[in-house]
Amino acid sequence: MPESILEVEGLGIRFGGLHAVRDVTAQLPAGKITAIIGPNGAGKSTFFNLISGFYAPTSGRIRFQGEDITRLKTHQVVGRGIARTFQTTTIYRELSVLEGVMIGHRVRTRAGLWDALLRTGRERREEAESREAALRALERVGLAAQAHRPAGALTQEGQKRVGIAMALASDPRLLLLDEPAAGMNPEETVNLMGLIRELVGGGLTVALVEHKMSLVMGLADEILVLHHGQKIAQGTPGEVSRDPAVIEAYLGGHAHGGQMGQPGREGAHA
Amino acid sequence: MLEVQRLSVNYGPFRALHDVDLTVQEGEIVVLLGANGAGKSTLFRTLSGLQRPSAGTATWRGVPLTGGRPEFNVARGVALCPEGRLLFPDLSVEKNLRLGAFVHRRDAAGTERELGRVYDLFPDLVGKRHAPAGSLSGGQQQMVAIARSLMARPQLLLLDEPSLGLAPLVVEQVFAAISRVNASGVSVLLAEQNAFAALGIAHRGYVLEGGRVSLQGSQEALLGDDRVRSAYLGV
Amino acid sequence: MTRPAFKPGPLVWVALFVLAALLPLLQPGGFVLDVAINVMIWSMLAYGLNVMLGYTGQLPLAHAGFFGIGAYAVGILTLREGWNFWLAWPAAVALCALGGLLLGLVAFRTRGDAFSIFTLGVGVIIALVINKWDDLTGGNDGLNGVPPASSLLGIDFSKSANFYYVALAALALTVLVVARTRQSVFGRSLVAIRGGEDLARSAGIDVFSHKLRALMLSTAIAGLAGGVYAAYVGFLGSAVTGPTTTFTVLLYLLVGGVGTLAGPLLGTGLIYVALQFMKGLQDYQYIVFGPLLVLLVLFAPQGLAGLWNRAQMRRASARTERAVDHA
Amino acid sequence: MTILFQQLSNALALGGVYALVALGLTLVYGVMRVPNFAHGGLYMLGAYFTYAVLNGLGVPYVVALLIAAVAVALLAALLERLVFYPLRNAPHVHAMIAAIGVLFFFEAVVQRIWGADFKQIAEPIPGILNVGGVVITWQRLLVILASVLAMLGLNFFLKRTLTGATIEAMSQSREGARLVGIDVNRVGMLTFAISGALAAVAAALIAPIVSVAPSMGEVMNLKVFAIIILGGMGSVPGAIVGAFLLAFAEVFGGFYINLDFADVIGFAALVLVLAIRPQGLFRRGT
């Protein structure tokens, strides 16, 4: 087992009567890609929202790089080095690509209102740093040439990349991607896979929620399967795709012993 | 019959459905398979009138469904049981059901008759009839949602992932109920992630991937096709 | 690369203010100067509102109240306590900033509609307290005889032509402050909040603390405008601190263009001056204003500066498309 | 004792009027998600219509009240069509600002037609009722009874009729309502009409006690907004409880503390409640 960057222990949250995530204990290995999968409504996005501090868990603990971050607010979590993107392309459409991505670097700056009014040295220095960080992030996602266009004018894939760049501009150790390939065509999806691999090659840890199995199976080092808010499996793609509990969760109770039980079909991508 | 021709739907610059062709014959159960984000819900929203298409047509018994007026579509016999249920959580189960018969509000006797039929179909709901719909368990809420769409006395029932988040036993109950509804003459278009449970009761099916129909065929053909499996698990 | 937004460059602003500085030389008193000073006062209030509505995306409706606090603070301190205007004015601004802090601590527990309505309630409380607290504010009779700004460096500010420069300087300061705020690390975070609080939060922005500071800046500017008003008009009545004033300034801001740097000045100037030509209509101005507000949000919610931006953008994108075609 | 009872009857009458106005506002918010700042304007128009009909046609008070209610209801429905319906997909701030514009317009028009000074409406049943030393004016009794009646009627309509159920359904799930075949546009107009009628009835009831003036709408606006925030926006029981809370705070606060500050006390109560419970009293946490 490689060293883990994030550990959750007995993590759970209830909304009214609904137990959206229940007693999940898992680790994300450092420097790897972990995919979180599960049927619709399994609690994957909620799981992300818990890690990133959007929701306060009703039970359990979250540790990041050895530090307990369970009760931290979102901006504090980002400050510790966990950045995220959203399910839908949520970016600042009316801003230029560069300006939008610079917002992602805010967490590394301290300039406030007085710095703004007096144009202090800190303001100018941090403005320059933000710009550099944003340009670096845009470079990493291959959008440096688009920096001055309005973000809303980019393609769906481009906007996804802006979202990732914004997350990268906060200089994270762990990047959470919520359905990064949603709405992309196969070619764009392949490009995105390449990008994610490059990021991990650069030392980043990535966790992603994704429904496109071609992407998950082709990319993930480790897969965590949620069903009804609970963890039902964790392992390599090969292990997970042979796990009967996983097959049942996805394909339904009638799958046993039928066509689905046959081994040796890995790699038959759609 | 339901006839969908070259239907496309855009959300801003994003194309959610791409030239979809699809039919449901009278009395059929047709299953729509596909991973999340494949466009199933968009197709349903379009057929129910909640969403307007950017191109293409959809007709039920020759009447177009794409006018952007759901109340019109319900009155023409096309009812949607939507993903996420969209119940009225603070109203009682029975009031939810009675509102389901809103388009038949002049036919009180018919509504009472239908109410009896859906309680027969979902006996669990009888004891809960006066409870607020939002207080029920997920499975029971799903039953209320299906029952509510049946109260409109549809000839074509659109079911968007009725098994979502339900325990396996409840899923079996729900699918048995769908079979019974179909046996009474209602055509059904059913979206499912639970591929094998759905194919177990369907006559035919379509696989939707990335907003396009990537595969179609009879129940047997789809059950045996590796691509169905790969669309879900990628194995 | 064309600028995507209507931003008269710093040079245009400097030129504008230099031109404005020449006005008293041509018109040393009277009607035109009065209109100009009023436009400056109300556009400052519109700038204050714009910091919140335009840059932070929340609509506070207590601004006339803070305008009133600023005005009454200057009035009471100079008239009753004998303070020098040049001390009373900054004190009033600080008081308004403090008031903004207190308001924000409670009001930012809500957002959207509830925030607006909550702050409206606070605005009403402020106006009512000013109206009822006879001993301090003169109540219904108002505060009469607020002294004009005291002389400074030998300049007699009781003359309109000289006081004009006080108002002009205050406006210039306001525009500078707002422009610098918008173009800063801090201001970009405000725009991020306007674009979506959840997204801003996930980008690592402490939303609450940013909104709080924006509101303090916004109410401080309202107090700055109120101070000028008190010294210029010399009489303070509680009516001006009520919601009607807030809504009128909101109209100015909307006409000019929410979220733009030129909008508040543009809208205030236009509407205020237009009203002077419709003096006979004054009592019934809202027969025109009301439907105008409705038509604006229905058909041109981005205001004049916004319309200009859109036209610019269309032209720019047409140009790039042509360039692409030629390539 | 007598004084206490008088204060009590004042508070009940005021609370009943607040409740009727606030109920319409909260219904509209529930169904359309629009904070209708023009609502106070509808209330003010109700008072003026009653005044005009009484003076112009010489009909009995009750008839004037009903005519005013119908007229304001129609006007409110028209307002929904012309202003709020086109803005249904725009940011909330837009609808809010448009509503403010409408409010100002109403006020200016009324001022143009009837002038800025106060108008009086004679009490339909003048004098007082004395039951064993306990004294109450007939008009206050009428206000209390009529507002309770109107509330019961509204409750019956919402809970027992299918049309009423469509209003509740739409406020709980707009798309769900569309899917069962409810024409949400008609429900929107209907809700606006009901809110207008309730506001007009409230205004006609209170008009003989207070004077009629163009600014009465603005004042009422602020109070009913305070009430529905207090009760939780969109909540029907919240509006009623909030209305009586505010009325009691004003009447008794004004009596025991300082009459001048009666209004301030009401708003201060609002600020206090929201500081503790930002979502209001009757709304589940978000």
Side-chain angles (χ1 to χ4, degrees):
Chain A
M1 190 80 197
E3 199 187 330
S4 65
I5 190 166
L6 183 103
E7 295 127 39
V8 298
E9 211 181 286
L11 195 65
I13 185 170
R14 306 179 66 110
F15 299 112
L18 178 71
H19 229 135
V21 168
R22 191 196 308 228
D23 197 24
V24 172
T25 298
Q27 297 83 33
L28 301 186
K32 304 273 184 199
I33 302 172
T34 305
I36 296 149
I37 66 169
N40 211 346
K44 304 178 298 285
S45 286
T46 310
F47 184 64
F48 264 22
N49 282 332
L50 285 169
I51 295 176
S52 56
F54 262 83
Y55 298 155
T58 40
S59 62
R61 288 193 314 150
I62 308 167
R63 294 175 69 80
F64 179 66
Q65 297 186 315
E67 184 194 1
D68 189 327
I69 60 163
T70 316
R71 296 282 152 210
L72 293 190
K73 296 208 169 70
T74 305
H75 67 266
Q76 294 167 320
V77 173
V78 181
R80 299 295 190 279
I82 302 179
R84 71 171 292 182
T85 65
F86 283 90
Q87 206 164 27
T88 48
T89 34
T90 320
I91 55 164
Y92 296 107
R93 281 166 217 284
E94 75 277 24
L95 299 182
S96 74
V97 169
L98 179 65
E99 228 184 335
V101 174
M102 282 169 80
I103 287 168
H105 191 67
R106 173 60 174 153
V107 71
R108 301 285 165 233
T109 59
R110 299 175 43 94
L113 184 51
W114 288 115
D115 299 290
L117 299 186
L118 306 174
R119 278 280 146 92
T120 60
R122 178 158 77 178
E123 168 75 29
R124 287 195 297 264
R125 193 176 61 245
E126 292 190 345
E127 175 77 12
E129 281 171 11
S130 299
R131 186 170 294 266
E132 277 164 34
L135 284 172
R136 258 199 321 274
L138 285 172
E139 197 79 50
R140 284 169 87 179
V141 303
L143 279 181
Q146 317 277 343
H148 295 285
R149 294 184 65 192
L154 268 54
T155 61
Q156 186 80 3
E157 191 212 356
Q159 295 189 16
K160 285 274 181 191
R161 283 174 185 255
V162 173
I164 295 173
M166 201 173 129
L168 290 177
S170 74
D171 200 10
R173 302 294 312 279
L174 169 62
L175 181 61
L176 308 176
L177 302 172
D178 200 347
E179 295 198 31
M184 284 191 185
N185 65 34
E187 192 193 328
E188 291 170 336
T189 306
V190 170
N191 289 341
L192 179 81
M193 289 168 71
L195 170 63
I196 295 173
R197 276 202 202 93
E198 273 172 39
L199 294 176
V200 173
L204 201 63
T205 307
V206 169
L208 54 91
V209 164
E210 186 49 65
H211 283 98
K212 281 199 179 147
M213 285 302 156
S214 55
L215 181 138
V216 170
M217 295 295 166
L219 195 61
D221 302 303
E222 180 103 349
I223 294 181
L224 171 67
V225 189
L226 296 181
H227 190 39
H228 292 302
Q230 285 173 300
K231 175 171 133 178
I232 57 170
Q234 181 168 14
T236 64
E239 290 162 6
V240 164
S241 63
R242 277 190 295 273
D243 191 313
V246 176
I247 293 170
E248 167 153 350
Y250 264 90
L251 298 173
H254 302 265
H256 290 299
Q259 293 86 342
M260 301 314 297
Q262 300 161 16
R265 288 211 175 161
E266 282 166 62
H269 290 183
Chain B
M1 76 175 191
L2 174 74
E3 207 168 0
V4 176
Q5 284 182 329
R6 302 186 64 77
L7 196 71
S8 296
V9 176
N10 295 347
Y11 295 121
F14 170 54
R15 177 156 275 202
L17 283 186
H18 211 110
D19 284 342
V20 169
D21 288 311
L22 173 153
T23 57
V24 176
Q25 303 292 338
E26 302 278 340
E28 261 189 328
I29 296 186
V30 174
V31 67
L32 198 57
L33 303 173
N36 209 357
K40 301 189 302 283
S41 290
T42 302
L43 179 61
F44 278 126
R45 290 176 62 82
T46 311
L47 295 181
S48 73
L50 282 176
Q51 174 72 42
R52 276 170 181 262
S54 44
T57 59
T59 56
W60 168 248
R61 295 181 178 170
V63 182
L65 301 174
T66 47
R69 286 173 60 96
E71 62 271 21
F72 176 88
N73 293 11
V74 184
R76 291 297 174 284
V78 179
L80 168 66
C81 174
E83 188 190 358
R85 305 179 192 125
L86 303 181
L87 294 177
F88 310 121
D90 295 340
L91 298 183
S92 70
V93 167
E94 185 144 324
K95 210 164 210 178
N96 269 276
L97 298 182
R98 287 183 183 281
L99 279 166
F102 186 77
V103 291
H104 301 293
R105 57 192 173 281
R106 313 235 182 276
D107 176 17
T111 297
E112 295 305 321
R113 193 181 60 233
E114 207 60 34
L115 205 54
R117 287 178 58 180
V118 297
Y119 281 137
D120 279 348
L121 202 58
F122 299 109
D124 288 10
L125 297 183
V126 178
K128 300 275 185 183
R129 61 202 298 170
H130 298 301
S135 69
L136 270 55
S137 72
Q140 287 168 335
Q141 288 195 27
Q142 191 61 54
M143 292 177 196
V144 176
I146 297 173
R148 188 181 70 178
S149 52
L150 287 173
M151 290 298 293
R153 300 179 225 165
Q155 293 124 25
L156 172 64
L157 182 60
L158 308 171
L159 289 165
D160 195 354
E161 303 210 20
S163 72
L164 187 70
L166 301 188
L169 205 67
V170 186
V171 173
E172 273 177 36
Q173 255 179 297
V174 166
F175 276 79
I178 294 169
S179 285
R180 283 174 61 189
V181 169
N182 174 249
S184 72
V186 178
S187 314
V188 177
L189 180 61
L190 170 71
E192 261 303 327
Q193 292 206 325
N194 202 329
F196 284 83
L199 282 172
I201 61 167
H203 303 105
R204 289 190 302 122
Y206 294 83
V207 176
L208 219 51
E209 272 183 285
R212 297 166 201 264
V213 173
S214 63
L215 194 65
Q216 56 175 303
S218 66
Q219 175 199 30
E220 301 79 34
L222 289 178
L223 272 171
D225 197 306
D226 276 351
R227 283 177 292 174
V228 173
R229 195 181 179 204
S230 70
Y232 286 98
L233 272 177
V235 289
Chain C
M1 176 112 294
T2 46
R3 285 166 179 272
F6 180 58
K7 290 177 195 152
L11 277 179
V12 178
W13 281 103
V14 170
L16 188 74
F17 276 101
V18 168
L19 273 179
L22 298 177
L23 183 68
L25 305 179
L26 305 170
Q27 293 270 342
F31 180 65
V32 174
L33 213 58
D34 179 60
V35 169
I37 293 176
N38 269 296
V39 166
M40 293 193 284
I41 291 170
W42 297 118
S43 60
M44 282 162 70
L45 190 51
Y47 275 108
L49 203 55
N50 199 24
V51 169
M52 285 306 292
L53 180 60
Y55 299 152
T56 320
Q58 301 280 326
L59 173 60
L61 293 173
H63 266 56
F66 288 100
F67 179 84
I69 291 176
Y72 272 87
V74 166
I76 292 164
L77 288 175
T78 54
L79 183 67
R80 301 263 169 85
E81 309 294 325
W83 284 37
N84 186 311
F85 171 80
W86 302 102
L87 274 179
W89 196 21
V93 172
L95 186 66
C96 284
L98 180 67
L101 172 72
L102 294 178
L103 173 64
L105 284 175
V106 182
F108 285 130
R109 291 169 61 96
T110 63
R111 56 166 140 166
D113 303 335
F115 172 79
S116 297
I117 300 166
F118 181 83
T119 50
L120 179 65
V122 172
V124 176
I125 294 181
I126 295 173
L128 281 171
V129 168
I130 289 176
N131 182 257
K132 305 286 184 195
W133 199 345
D134 289 347
D135 299 341
L136 188 69
T137 64
N140 256 336
D141 301 333
L143 206 58
N144 227 326
V146 176
S150 16
S151 300
L152 193 73
L153 307 169
I155 305 169
D156 174 13
F157 287 111
S158 62
K159 280 194 195 138
S160 283
N162 290 345
F163 187 76
Y164 175 87
Y165 290 105
V166 175
L168 190 66
L171 177 64
L173 178 69
T174 303
V175 173
L176 182 72
V177 160
V178 171
R180 282 199 162 175
T181 302
R182 170 61 189 89
Q183 298 297 330
S184 68
V185 175
F186 175 79
R188 191 176 303 111
S189 310
L190 296 186
V191 173
I193 292 168
R194 182 188 68 189
E197 284 194 18
D198 284 344
L199 183 56
R201 198 165 285 130
S202 78
I205 293 172
D206 184 348
V207 171
F208 180 76
S209 116
H210 278 79
K211 287 204 289 194
L212 203 55
R213 284 178 281 174
L215 183 61
M216 287 172 73
L217 174 65
S218 170
T219 55
I221 293 174
L224 189 76
V228 179
Y229 176 84
Y232 179 64
V233 178
F235 167 79
L236 296 175
S238 64
V240 78
T241 67
T244 311
T245 304
T246 305
F247 293 141
T248 308
V249 172
L250 182 62
L251 172 72
Y252 297 158
L253 178 58
L254 272 168
V255 170
V258 176
T260 62
L261 191 59
L265 186 59
L266 209 62
T268 310
L270 199 76
I271 299 283
Y272 195 89
V273 171
L275 267 181
Q276 302 309 308
F277 288 108
M278 299 189 284
K279 270 287 185 197
L281 201 71
Q282 198 114 54
D283 282 348
Y284 308 110
Q285 50 178 277
Y286 285 108
I287 292 186
V288 180
F289 271 19
L292 185 62
L293 262 178
V294 176
L295 292 175
L296 264 171
V297 292
L298 278 175
F299 300 111
Q302 62 279 74
L304 289 176
L307 283 177
W308 172 270
N309 283 351
R310 283 241 297 228
Q312 286 283 334
M313 234 139 81
R314 220 171 291 140
R315 223 177 309 155
S317 67
R319 217 174 303 149
T320 39
E321 264 161 42
R322 244 176 290 141
V324 170
D325 287 346
H326 286 276
Chain D
M1 178 62 207
T2 330
I3 292 175
L4 179 73
F5 184 80
Q6 252 170 16
Q7 298 299 332
L8 191 68
S9 74
N10 283 352
L12 285 175
L14 196 61
V17 168
Y18 284 170
L20 292 188
V21 186
L23 276 171
L25 191 64
T26 216
L27 282 181
V28 164
Y29 187 84
V31 167
M32 311 284 292
R33 301 284 143 190
V34 166
N36 178 15
F37 273 100
H39 195 63
L42 297 173
Y43 164 81
M44 183 252 325
L45 282 177
Y48 273 95
F49 285 179
T50 311
Y51 169 81
V53 172
L54 272 175
N55 286 0
L57 305 179
V59 295
Y61 173 76
V62 177
V63 178
L65 179 147
L66 292 176
I67 292 177
V70 171
V72 175
L74 291 176
L75 191 70
L78 189 69
L79 203 61
E80 193 273 339
R81 230 16 24 192
L82 291 182
V83 179
F84 293 106
Y85 178 75
L87 284 172
R88 67 196 179 286
N89 296 325
H92 275 200
V93 171
H94 289 183
M96 221 148 76
I97 292 165
I100 291 166
V102 172
L103 174 68
F104 282 4
F105 176 69
F106 284 165
E107 251 177 53
V109 168
V110 164
Q111 200 162 331
R112 176 86 241 210
I113 298 174
W114 286 288
D117 38 317
F118 292 99
K119 298 278 183 255
Q120 290 290 342
I121 291 179
E123 293 184 4
I125 313 171
I128 53 170
L129 174 70
N130 189 331
V131 184
V134 178
V135 175
I136 182 170
T137 66
W138 275 108
Q139 186 63 28
R140 288 228 158 74
L141 193 63
L142 183 70
V143 172
I144 296 170
L145 291 179
S147 55
V148 168
L149 203 67
M151 276 184 263
L152 289 177
L154 181 71
N155 187 60
F156 178 84
F157 173 71
L158 289 178
K159 300 291 175 199
R160 299 267 175 249
T161 68
L162 191 64
T163 313
T166 61
I167 292 181
E168 290 208 294
M170 198 170 142
S171 72
Q172 290 172 30
S173 171
R174 195 183 173 87
E175 288 211 328
R178 298 186 72 190
L179 283 178
V180 299
I182 295 170
D183 182 344
V184 290
N185 298 334
R186 276 178 54 186
V187 176
M189 273 173 81
L190 176 73
T191 310
F192 259 85
I194 291 172
S195 84
L198 288 172
V201 167
L205 285 172
I206 198 87
I209 299 176
V210 301
S211 314
V212 177
S215 62
M216 68 190 285
E218 254 178 81
V219 180
M220 179 57 84
N221 226 7
L222 298 168
K223 292 190 175 169
V224 286
F225 268 109
I227 287 165
I228 71 163
I229 303 187
L230 198 66
M233 293 176 75
S235 160
V236 167
I240 296 175
V241 172
F244 283 98
L245 275 180
L246 184 71
F248 274 79
E250 279 184 8
V251 170
F252 284 94
F255 181 69
Y256 286 107
I257 303 170
N258 185 339
L259 195 57
D260 276 350
F261 282 81
D263 288 340
V264 183
I265 292 164
F267 284 107
L270 166 75
V271 172
L272 213 69
V273 169
L274 280 195
I276 301 161
R277 238 184 109 76
Q279 73 274 33
L281 295 171
F282 279 76
R283 229 176 136 83
R284 278 162 283 171
T286 43

